[in-house]
Amino acid sequence: MRRMRGGTLVAIAAAGVLALAACGGSGDSGAGNQDSGGGSDALKVGLAYDIGGRGDQSFNDSAARGLDKAKQEFGVDATELEATQGETDAQKEDRLRQLAENGFNPIIAVGFAYAGPVGAVAKDFPDVKFAIVDDFTEGVDTGPNIANLTFAEHEGSFLVGAAAALKSETGNVGFVGGVNTPLIQKFEAGYTAGVKAVDPDAKVQVKYLTQPPDFGGFNDPAKGETAANGMLDAGADVIYAAAGGSGSGVFRAAKEKGAYGIGVDSDQYNQPALADVKDVIMTSMVKNVDTAVYDFIKSVNDGQFQAGQQVYDLESGGVDYSTSGGMVDDIKAKLDEYKEKIISGEIEVPSTT
Amino acid sequence: MSASGLDVGSEQITAPPRQRRRMSPVVYLYIAVGALLVVSLVRVLTGAGNLTSSGTVSAALIAAVPIALAGLGGLWSERAGVINIGLEGMMVLGTWGAGFAGYQWGPWAGVLLGVALGALGGLIHAVATVTFGVDHIISGVAITLMAPGVTLFLAKLYFTDAPGGGQKQSPPIDDVAHVSVPGLPSLLDSIERKGWFFVSDLAGLLRGLTTDVSLLTLLAVVLFVVTAYVLWRTPFGLRLRSCGESPPAAESLGVNVYKYKYAAIVTSGALAGLGGAILAVASSQFRDGQTGGRGYIGLASMIFGNWRPGGVAAGASLFGYTDAMQLRGEEAVHALLLLLGVALIVLAVVQVRARRYVVAGVATVLGIAFVLWFLFTDQVPAELVSATPYVVTLLVLSLAAQRLRVPKWIGQPYRRGQGT
């Protein structure tokens, strides 16, 4: 409870500061607002993160990058709030309502956990534009003022699956999922399809670290390492870690046994926290949440808001595989061939297992 | 590992009245060999090599140590009559301490700071419960709620700008040295690969226990021995335990109850902090929320372990073993159904001999149910696999540990001079 009240205070204080800043801005318009496109009324963007928030070196950070870029280019004002471990939907709803009542528009909710809350709050504030990242459920979080920014994770995962099969010498690869949710199953479906496209006889070992509602599997490197070791002992030599923060354990196990790991969400080869294991991260399934967030803010800024689902897929560059480290250079031609086939529709990647 | 898990079972049951309580080491050896025989029989029948592979055993060891230390911490505190439900919070403090000192000055410095912060958490609990007479549960819950908030704040303060760190995680920490018994690994490895009945299983078990063992794991083992010695073989330990049984009696004999309770709770916090620090070092970094309830599992293993070091170790090992197995491969979980069924039936036989027919009946029914489940299915649904360690530990320990005895004065505040 105390935390909630703290959050409210912070929000009010932040809103106050922003209001003051806005006053200040209009006072010396020419000088301060040069980069905001001619001193027009800057957007007030409210952004609600899922658990982890800014600094999680993954999904939320990617959203933050998109916001930062928009801040730079359009000079938008922004307030960022973040979810706490084990909170209820009601708390998420409060958070969004607070932002809306304080005049923030547009409001971006990061993560499928906001599906219900966004749907509820958006109804009460028809003039506010909402965006939700990673969810599109008809009737739950759809409406004339909601944009659903979703990704074709299965398509990106197909490519890294193909890469895994091409690199594997044992014909045996692994998939470590953080938590057994429909979203992560989408990664698994694409990955398995990619592996089988290259080598129909290959074996894919699958393990989810925890079952919902226990979301600890995204945050437990020790469990990731144990699961990966089990797969390596059973003959796998490439493992895809779609497990958020638990991925570092997977990479450590791979490094110890001379195998490869595949990263997720951002180009994990370049993450400073993983510097000591980066030489086994042969590629990553990149999910450009920043592009989606930036595009959404831009669309509102330009007065071209679009409601409904917007899929960021291979074609639009919303998902892709990374090449940092040069470990997939030798198979790049083949991967790009698959990529073309997916974009042209020749290969249809399944999104459910 | 499971061998020791089953031991406890049998120990608690076949330990009827006091005079026969102490069994000779030979009996323990028989029980261990018997348990391993059953496990290897199941392994041969099901072909699930992961049941006794050295990989499983060493993963089990890594998984069990943080839980075991939390449980040992709980034991110190509860033996002195103070419930410590703040173990989870003290572990969290330990993980942060390991992250903060660990990335700057090496893993051992991290362990030291983790222990110190855990002890600090224990000290807060001691001040609240002993000096101010706050309800033990309230104080413990407060610490468990407060610790993640404090560590998150500190992490934002110190890790955000550190190279490789973030608001929720510390920069990477190096691991401590790992040791092996010289010469043994390659020999055991070749035996393990043969797949012989019993011999290879024994080799797998031994190899897991003697190869590439973290020094921190050895430290944990030493602490169990030290605890058993200090609490049951020294005057200090006797006085400490007397504070948990009857503080008025202890005080009437000149024991400074407050002082002993303080010592016990601070030690408790230090051990939980060590558990957290070991978890962080084994994960190579501090992460927000990485303890994931291990403190509570430690507490449960202490209760089912009858407030004895051996019981705590067995409970934590059983949990670690099943957790490692379910994480490593799902075929082994299916084999575990058969193993669990057989273990429960063995338990039932022992309970019949101890004339506890109701427990025996329950164990028999459950045992047969598990065997049937094994026979009529090919795999366990993925949704249930993660629950394996909880179910197995709960079933085996609750059906085996029928003679739990709580320290008498537990959970009640005691004011100086209350008894006079």
Side-chain angles (χ1 to χ4, degrees):
Chain A
M1 269 297 98
R2 179 180 289 173
R3 216 160 177 176
M4 268 295 299
R5 245 186 292 145
T8 314
L9 281 178
V10 169
I12 293 170
V17 170
L18 283 173
L20 285 176
C23 294
S26 61
D28 52 12
S29 44
N33 282 345
Q34 256 170 2
D35 54 349
S36 70
S40 64
D41 279 291
L43 285 179
K44 280 175 73 183
V45 181
L47 199 140
Y49 293 110
D50 202 351
I51 297 164
R54 192 184 266 268
D56 73 341
Q57 310 229 344
S58 168
F59 183 68
N60 290 296
D61 250 1
S62 187
R65 272 198 300 279
L67 179 67
D68 290 344
K69 192 175 162 203
K71 266 191 206 163
Q72 243 174 26
E73 290 193 14
F74 316 126
V76 299
D77 288 327
T79 279
E80 300 157 58
L81 298 178
E82 106 185 21
T84 53
Q85 203 94 36
E87 67 174 19
T88 60
D89 268 12
Q91 280 168 288
K92 291 196 168 64
E93 204 177 310
D94 278 349
R95 184 169 304 115
L96 297 175
R97 210 171 279 281
Q98 247 173 46
L99 288 169
E101 277 166 3
N102 285 321
F104 289 96
N105 184 10
I107 293 172
I108 304 166
V110 184
F112 62 86
Y114 280 102
V118 163
V121 176
K123 274 197 197 76
D124 298 344
F125 295 90
D127 299 334
V128 179
K129 309 272 183 277
F130 288 86
I132 176 159
V133 178
D134 259 4
D135 196 81
F136 173 71
T137 316
E138 196 69 59
V140 175
D141 56 2
T142 50
N145 57 338
I146 305 175
N148 305 79
L149 315 177
T150 58
F151 293 83
E153 291 94 351
H154 51 297
E155 294 183 1
S157 298
F158 182 97
L159 293 183
V160 297
L166 289 167
K167 279 283 179 181
S168 172
E169 282 162 14
T170 56
N172 187 335
V173 298
F175 173 89
V176 175
V179 182
N180 193 358
T181 60
L183 178 66
I184 306 298
Q185 286 162 8
K186 211 166 149 191
F187 288 78
E188 184 205 330
Y191 179 72
T192 308
V195 172
K196 300 284 185 193
V198 171
D199 177 3
D201 300 328
K203 184 172 159 52
V204 183
Q205 302 183 51
V206 176
K207 179 71 209 173
Y208 289 91
L209 298 179
T210 60
Q211 301 290 328
D214 177 3
F215 283 85
F218 286 129
N219 234 345
D220 201 329
K223 276 193 175 153
E225 188 167 0
T226 304
N229 269 323
M231 291 178 176
L232 295 168
D233 286 352
D237 59 355
V238 183
I239 300 178
Y240 180 23
S246 306
S248 65
V250 174
F251 300 138
R252 216 153 6 149
K255 179 161 179 155
E256 202 162 291
K257 301 230 162 90
Y260 279 124
I262 296 174
V264 79
D265 286 351
S266 53
D267 186 358
Q268 296 201 290
Y269 181 87
N270 289 325
Q271 276 180 0
L274 296 172
D276 52 339
V277 291
K278 70 177 185 181
D279 49 323
V280 303
I281 305 177
M282 66 177 212
T283 179
S284 297
M285 202 292 281
V286 184
K287 177 171 163 182
N288 293 315
V289 179
D290 50 348
T291 315
V293 168
Y294 170 80
D295 284 356
F296 170 73
I297 298 174
K298 185 172 187 305
S299 75
V300 176
N301 194 51
D302 299 346
Q304 294 181 334
F305 168 79
Q306 244 189 331
Q309 188 177 24
Q310 280 141 52
V311 181
Y312 286 82
D313 54 8
L314 270 182
E315 191 175 2
S316 66
V319 294
D320 208 343
Y321 71 99
S322 67
T323 53
S324 312
M327 281 169 268
V328 290
D329 284 355
D330 51 334
I331 55 173
K332 195 169 179 312
K334 280 188 185 144
L335 294 179
D336 287 338
E337 201 177 303
Y338 279 116
K339 190 169 161 182
E340 287 310 315
K341 281 185 184 166
I342 294 171
I343 291 175
S344 71
E346 195 182 330
I347 296 180
E348 192 138 338
V349 184
S351 61
T352 49
T353 47
Chain B
M1 285 281 111
S2 82
S4 53
L6 292 173
D7 288 352
V8 184
S10 335
E11 179 206 351
Q12 306 293 354
I13 318 138
T14 48
R18 288 232 154 236
Q19 21 328 5
R20 284 175 52 207
R21 202 182 156 83
R22 298 257 148 231
M23 293 189 293
S24 74
V26 181
V27 178
Y28 282 114
L29 192 66
Y30 281 142
I31 293 172
V33 170
L36 190 59
L37 271 172
V38 172
V39 176
S40 43
L41 190 66
V42 171
R43 200 258 309 162
V44 170
L45 283 177
T46 60
N50 257 335
L51 279 180
T52 55
S53 74
S54 54
T56 303
V57 174
S58 71
L61 213 51
I62 293 168
V65 164
I67 295 169
L69 284 171
L72 194 66
L75 183 144
W76 271 82
S77 170
E78 303 219 346
R79 275 292 175 180
V82 177
I83 296 175
N84 189 355
I85 208 158
L87 287 168
E88 175 82 7
M90 296 167 197
M91 273 185 100
V92 172
L93 293 173
T95 56
W96 185 84
F100 179 72
Y103 91 89
Q104 301 182 77
W105 308 297
W108 288 103
V111 168
L112 273 184
L113 187 64
V115 168
L117 286 180
L120 184 68
L123 187 65
I124 295 171
H125 193 48
V127 171
T129 56
V130 179
T131 305
F132 295 121
V134 173
D135 185 276
H136 300 173
I137 302 291
I138 292 178
S139 168
V141 169
I143 289 172
T144 299
L145 287 179
M146 185 188 68
V150 171
T151 50
L152 194 56
F153 171 71
L154 291 172
K156 278 193 176 152
L157 213 55
Y158 290 107
F159 295 152
T160 306
D161 299 323
Q167 293 181 8
K168 313 267 167 160
Q169 63 191 57
S170 73
I173 318 168
D174 293 331
D175 204 352
V176 300
H178 286 232
V179 293
S180 302
V181 177
L184 216 46
S186 56
L187 175 70
L188 290 173
D189 185 31
S190 57
I191 300 176
E192 191 189 347
R193 279 169 198 283
K194 298 270 197 277
W196 292 330
F197 172 69
F198 191 72
V199 180
S200 293
D201 299 301
L202 186 63
L205 182 66
L206 289 178
R207 180 162 174 246
L209 294 177
T210 55
T211 311
D212 203 25
V213 177
S214 164
L215 287 179
L216 289 170
T217 304
L218 295 180
L219 175 66
V221 173
V222 169
L223 285 172
F224 267 84
V225 177
V226 169
T227 297
Y229 179 79
V230 169
L231 289 185
W232 275 272
R233 291 281 181 277
T234 65
F236 171 84
L238 180 64
R239 289 178 194 137
L240 192 148
R241 286 184 296 126
S242 74
C243 296
E245 301 292 344
S246 175
E251 198 162 87
S252 74
L253 294 171
V255 172
N256 185 340
V257 175
Y258 282 19
K259 198 176 87 182
Y260 278 89
K261 285 196 172 192
Y262 260 87
I265 303 169
V266 170
T267 309
S268 168
L271 287 168
L274 177 64
I278 291 179
L279 179 65
V281 170
S283 312
S284 285
Q285 64 178 183
F286 155 82
R287 287 193 78 87
D288 179 41
Q290 85 188 132
T291 53
R294 287 175 171 91
Y296 293 117
I297 297 167
L299 197 68
S301 76
M302 173 203 68
I303 291 168
F304 286 124
N306 200 15
W307 290 265
R308 314 261 318 177
V312 174
S317 307
L318 184 60
F319 188 90
Y321 171 70
T322 39
D323 197 25
M325 205 158 69
Q326 66 94 1
L327 281 169
R328 283 173 57 85
E330 286 171 13
E331 308 86 42
V333 174
H334 189 241
L336 197 64
L337 290 177
L338 180 60
L339 183 60
L340 185 60
V342 173
L344 288 175
I345 291 168
V346 170
L347 211 66
V349 173
V350 181
Q351 295 286 26
V352 166
R353 286 187 49 196
R355 295 199 185 80
R356 276 192 289 273
Y357 298 110
V358 176
V359 179
V362 172
T364 313
V365 171
L366 284 173
I368 291 172
F370 276 107
V371 172
L372 290 177
W373 187 1
F374 170 80
L375 291 176
F376 289 106
T377 55
D378 288 331
Q379 58 180 14
V380 180
E383 286 75 16
L384 296 180
V385 167
S386 310
T388 314
Y390 303 93
V391 174
V392 171
T393 312
L394 195 71
L395 278 181
V396 171
L397 291 186
S398 63
L399 290 172
Q402 286 292 309
R403 292 162 24 86
L404 300 184
R405 201 191 67 79
V406 191
K408 242 200 187 105
W409 204 269
I410 192 135
Q412 303 168 44
Y414 177 77
R415 314 308 304 165
R416 188 169 274 148
Q418 186 175 321
T420 54

